[in-house]
């Protein structure tokens, strides 16, 4: 098949040619830092370290964000729940980061979302205590949150959220956090790292560490796409593999004790018309009083999450009938007209929280969500936990540790520490006149949708569709994602497989698993020639 349009030429395009060139660089250059894992933490560390002038490489065994970072609740939040645990510092930091992401780093990907928190008679936290928590939340956000919280009477709740159970309702609070696309936030962070010189490659697995006198000096890797092994040299290696952190630590030292306790979090996607929720609503599970969310997602509602201990391989995490029953029970209890049954679930996903092991808590929901950074005698630095929201702070701490192994770099990079705070991710970049990049066509609804997903990069996607009208047609009828985005995903976002496009570059599969299955073959036919033709050509200069 002829190539449908000229490939995008943006400075940060993660093209097939760049992937090939990066593989060659991995094998031939020597790096200050090798990051294993392309979730939000690995991406953030690569960006932070590259911004400070280090020579950085990052490898990811699957697609970028294919682990926990595409299976979260997709919220950028201060963590109201952590107030209950008395974790004020965590909440304050998260609130600051939420605002920084929304205002400066990724305004196209981080959008305000109002939450309605109803209180019923018999709830463990009454209206008075919830109100105090709300004040604390606003104060910890330095009163700069999207809007201040406000109290609602039961009558007002009934008019704003008519489908919500009225029986026993005492009132509610409305407060604000943000929603995001977790996989795209991760991808843009990877692009940001690449734009600063980091050598990033997906579908490259860590096989073993290379050591010199017991100290790690590099790694043996395997490129799944070419089925070839390669060796990379690096002064420091960071293990940012989330739920796989212990697996990778055992490659370094088979006798090492696990540092993680994995808990599984499941989300379901159901038609929003069935639930009827207008707001993001905070619920308490009727079974165990755990906090759950019902989040509006255009014509869908996202319901989550469970929190149960998990002991299998992180590669095998999945959604069980018991998870579905637990979540549907809660939605049906609070939205009595929903009457959802498992057959109404159109999409679902399960992720693993890499929590700190042995902190004494029996209830998984009570284990601290803070990150852990562990240094091994071999020099391996492992990081696990944290939140999507606070990835930039975790990245800063990890790079600070890395710099201790590279003493001569410290002075040169001290000033650069602040850059990660203010530099927008690639799609969040403003144009010279101070406005976010817009074009005349962007006034149309589809183009608005593209700017919301791609920000300043939207014109590159539009250019593909203008060149070839067929690419303006949707991947699935009724969904906003176009074939042009699928082509762009291959040409500029390092997508290698159909599932990368259906699950992470777009959300087709999450919104409708059956529809994703139906279009998979057609999509394969569209992208296969793009991957093949790019593979055959020499790297772009
Ligand atoms: P991951 O995203 O899992 O990345 C690790 C990567 O390492 C994976 O992509 C994996 O493929 C790769 N890898 C593993 N082994 C190897 C190897 N041998 N070689 C190469 N690569 C390898 N946070 C929020 O801020 N907001 C939320 O709403 C929110 N909701 C959540 C809901 C749930 C159910 C869960 C589980 C978490 C949630 N979080 C949320 C937390 C947040 O999602 C995680 O903290 C974050 O995604 C962890 O990112 P990570 O990079 O550490 O791990």
């Amino acid at each position: 098949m002829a190539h449908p349009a000229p490939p995008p030429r943006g400075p940060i395009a993660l093209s097939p040619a760049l992937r090939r060139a990066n593989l060659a660089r991995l094998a031939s250059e020597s790096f200050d830092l090798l990051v294993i894992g392309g979730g939000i933490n690995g991406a953030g560390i690569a960006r932070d370290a590259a911004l400070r002038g280090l020579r950085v490489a990052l490898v990811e065994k699957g697609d970028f964000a294919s682990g926990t970072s595409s299976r979260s609740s997709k919220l950028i939040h201060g963590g109201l729940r952590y107030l209950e645990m008395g974790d004020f510092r965590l909440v304050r930091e998260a609130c600051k980061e939420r605002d920084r992401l929304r205002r400066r780093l990724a305004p196209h990907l981080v959008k305000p979302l109002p939450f309605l928190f109803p209180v019923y008679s018999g709830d463990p936290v009454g209206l008075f205590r919830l109100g105090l928590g709300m004040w604390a939340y606003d104060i910890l956000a330095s009163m700069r949150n999207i809007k201040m919280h406000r109290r609602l009477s039961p009558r007002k709740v009934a008019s704003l959220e008519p489908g919500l159970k009225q029986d026993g309702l005492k009132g509610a609070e409305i407060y604000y956090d943000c929603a995001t696309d977790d996989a795209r936030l991760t991808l843009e962070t990877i692009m940001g790292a690449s734009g600063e010189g980091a050598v990033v490659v997906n579908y490259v697995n860590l096989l073993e560490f290379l050591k010199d006198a017991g100290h790690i000096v590099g790694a043996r890797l395997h490129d799944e796409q070419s089925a070839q092994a390669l060796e990379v040299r690096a002064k420091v290696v960071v293990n940012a593999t989330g739920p796989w952190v212990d697996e990778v630590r055992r490659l370094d030292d088979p006798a090492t004790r696990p540092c993680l306790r994995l808990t599984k979090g499941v989300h379901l996607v159901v038609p929003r018309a069935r639930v009827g929720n207008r707001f993001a609503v905070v619920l308490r599970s009727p079974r165990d009083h755990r906090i759950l969310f019902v989040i509006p997602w255009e014509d869908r509602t996202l319901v989550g999450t469970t929190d149960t201990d998990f002991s299998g391989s992180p590669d095998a995490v999945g959604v069980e009938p018991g998870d579905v029953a637990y979540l549907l029970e809660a939605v049906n209890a609070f939205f009595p007209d929903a009457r959802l049954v498992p057959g109404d679930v159109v999409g679902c996903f399960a992720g693993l929280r890499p929590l700190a092991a042995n902190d004494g808590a029996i209830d998984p929901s009570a284990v601290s969500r803070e990150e852990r950074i562990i240094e091994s005698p071999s020099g391996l630095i492992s990081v696990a936990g944290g939140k999507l929201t606070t990835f930039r702070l975790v990245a800063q701490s990890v790079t600070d540790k890395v710099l201790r192994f590279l003493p001569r770099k410290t002075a040169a990079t001290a000033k650069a520490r602040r850059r990660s705070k203010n530099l927008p991710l690639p799609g969040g970049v403003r144009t010279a006149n101070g406005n976010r990049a817009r074009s005349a066509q962007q006034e149309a609804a589809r183009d608005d949708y593209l700017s919301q997903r791609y920000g300043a990069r939207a014109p590159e996607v539009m250019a593909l569709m203008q060149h070839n009208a067929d690419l303006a047609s949707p991947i699935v009828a009724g969904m906003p994602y176009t074939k042009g985005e699928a082509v762009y995903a291959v040409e500029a976002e390092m997508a290698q497989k159909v599932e990368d496009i259906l699950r992470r570059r777009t959300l087709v599969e999450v919104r409708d698993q059956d529809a994703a299955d139906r279009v998979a073959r057609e999509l394969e036919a569209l992208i296969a020639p793009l991957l093949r033709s790019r593979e055959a050509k020499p790297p772009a200069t």
Side-chain angles (χ1 to χ4, degrees):
M1 190 182 116
H3 185 253
R9 299 212 181 279
I12 34 77
L14 300 182
S15 63
L18 180 79
R19 184 178 185 280
R20 211 171 50 257
N22 281 356
L23 277 169
R25 289 183 63 189
L26 280 182
S28 61
E29 294 180 18
S30 171
F31 296 89
D32 294 318
L33 170 65
L34 169 66
V35 180
I36 313 287
I40 192 69
N41 279 332
I45 293 161
R47 173 178 177 269
D48 190 276
L51 278 168
R52 297 207 223 177
L54 302 193
R55 285 168 301 155
V56 180
L58 177 145
V59 295
E60 159 58 51
K61 77 170 178 174
D63 184 22
F64 300 126
S66 56
T68 310
S69 298
S70 58
R71 298 146 190 253
S72 78
S73 304
K74 307 182 195 304
L75 300 176
I76 296 297
H77 61 150
L80 186 62
R81 208 167 61 77
Y82 308 130
L83 285 179
E84 264 185 333
M85 299 176 179
D87 218 335
F88 296 105
R89 189 183 57 81
L90 185 64
V91 175
R92 185 170 165 69
E93 281 181 348
C95 285
K96 269 194 177 169
E97 286 305 298
R98 176 189 62 196
D99 284 359
R100 196 183 301 285
L101 283 164
R102 177 174 72 88
R103 291 173 199 267
R104 203 181 284 255
L105 265 62
H108 58 305
L109 286 176
V110 177
K111 303 286 177 197
L113 182 66
F115 282 74
L116 190 146
F117 196 146
V119 173
Y120 293 87
S121 46
D123 274 357
V125 175
L127 268 181
F128 178 72
R129 230 176 101 203
L130 182 65
L132 289 181
M134 290 292 162
W135 275 112
Y137 206 48
D138 281 339
I139 290 167
L140 289 168
S142 308
M143 310 300 258
R144 290 185 75 224
N145 198 355
I146 298 116
K147 282 185 188 171
M148 293 283 289
H149 74 276
R150 66 193 158 99
R151 167 79 53 91
L152 301 180
S153 67
R155 183 184 296 209
K156 190 73 185 164
V157 177
S159 71
L160 288 179
E161 196 64 90
L164 192 65
K165 181 177 88 154
Q166 306 295 316
D167 252 15
L169 182 66
K170 297 288 221 186
E173 293 278 358
I174 286 196
Y175 71 98
Y176 292 81
D177 266 320
C178 291
T180 192
D181 180 329
D182 48 7
R184 294 207 73 85
L185 186 68
T186 304
L187 180 70
E188 287 229 7
T189 308
I190 293 270
M191 286 179 153
S194 173
E196 294 297 320
V199 171
V200 300
V201 194
N202 55 4
Y203 290 100
V204 169
N205 192 4
L206 166 75
L207 295 178
E208 61 178 339
F209 289 110
L210 305 177
K211 292 190 178 175
D212 185 4
H215 197 87
I216 293 180
V217 293
R220 244 171 80 76
L221 308 170
H222 180 259
D223 172 29
E224 186 192 301
Q225 301 305 76
S226 64
Q228 286 187 353
L230 62 144
E231 288 189 355
V232 58
R233 299 269 152 187
K235 293 191 179 109
V236 183
V237 177
V238 166
N239 167 14
T241 55
W244 291 264
V245 152
D246 279 331
E247 212 169 85
V248 169
R249 288 175 73 236
R250 279 194 294 274
L251 287 179
D252 170 33
D253 173 7
T256 194
R257 288 183 53 194
C259 68
L260 294 186
R261 171 180 180 181
L262 300 180
T263 77
K264 183 174 82 164
V266 167
H267 287 87
L268 306 180
V269 180
V270 295
R272 188 160 160 206
R274 290 291 300 279
V275 182
N277 62 312
R278 296 176 180 175
F279 284 79
V281 182
V282 185
L283 307 176
R284 283 190 186 273
S285 157
R287 226 183 268 183
D288 54 14
H289 296 296
R290 279 190 55 253
I291 294 274
L292 305 174
F293 294 113
V294 164
I295 300 169
W297 232 33
E298 294 163 25
D299 60 340
R300 299 285 192 249
T301 292
L302 184 67
V303 184
T305 166
T306 60
D307 197 353
T308 50
D309 278 308
F310 180 84
S311 56
S313 157
D315 294 303
V317 63
V319 178
E320 307 295 331
D323 303 322
V324 176
Y326 173 88
L327 292 172
L328 292 188
E329 178 184 284
V331 184
N332 288 335
F334 287 92
F335 288 88
D337 292 340
R339 296 194 189 91
L340 294 166
V341 295
D344 295 318
V345 175
V346 291
C348 58
F349 52 94
L352 292 173
R353 300 175 186 85
L355 307 178
N358 306 326
D359 85 338
I362 294 167
D363 174 8
S365 298
V367 182
S368 165
R369 264 54 179 165
E370 279 198 271
E371 78 282 0
R372 290 191 81 188
I373 303 173
I374 302 158
E375 285 178 39
S376 302
S378 63
L380 181 68
I381 299 175
S382 298
V383 56
K387 294 163 27 128
L388 209 57
T389 311
T390 47
F391 77 91
R392 205 190 56 80
L393 298 176
V394 172
Q396 269 189 340
S397 311
V398 173
T399 311
D400 288 344
K401 278 212 187 318
V402 170
L403 286 173
R404 296 214 318 259
F405 288 83
L406 306 166
R408 269 178 295 161
K409 296 271 181 188
T410 311
T413 55
K415 267 194 191 158
R417 196 174 192 275
R418 311 185 89 219
R419 285 187 70 205
S420 87
K421 267 189 185 178
N422 300 319
L423 187 72
L425 299 183
V429 171
R430 287 161 190 265
T431 53
N433 67 7
N435 295 319
R436 268 167 218 121
R438 291 187 72 80
S439 68
Q441 306 98 305
Q442 273 177 285
E443 300 312 317
R446 185 198 67 203
D447 301 343
D448 259 357
Y449 147 79
L450 287 177
S451 354
Q452 278 180 26
R453 289 176 59 71
Y454 298 88
R457 295 187 298 123
E460 294 175 22
V461 189
M462 279 171 220
L464 283 174
M465 297 196 277
Q466 277 159 3
H467 185 89
N468 179 342
D470 187 43
L471 294 184
S473 58
I475 296 174
V476 169
M479 285 197 202
Y481 317 107
T482 60
K483 291 180 183 161
E485 289 178 77
V487 170
Y488 186 74
V490 174
E491 299 284 24
E493 297 183 333
M494 221 179 265
Q496 301 291 303
K497 299 182 180 180
V498 166
E499 75 161 66
D500 302 346
I501 296 169
L502 292 176
R503 269 198 207 162
R504 289 170 290 273
R505 304 303 182 279
T506 72
L507 292 169
V508 169
E509 188 178 312
V510 177
R511 291 170 65 136
D512 191 337
Q513 174 74 57
D514 291 347
D517 293 345
R518 280 198 306 275
V519 298
R521 265 214 191 143
E522 191 193 338
L523 204 55
E524 175 78 50
L526 178 69
I527 68 164
L530 305 179
L531 287 164
R532 270 201 305 274
S533 67
R534 295 284 169 256
E535 280 304 317
K537 290 178 190 165
T541 49

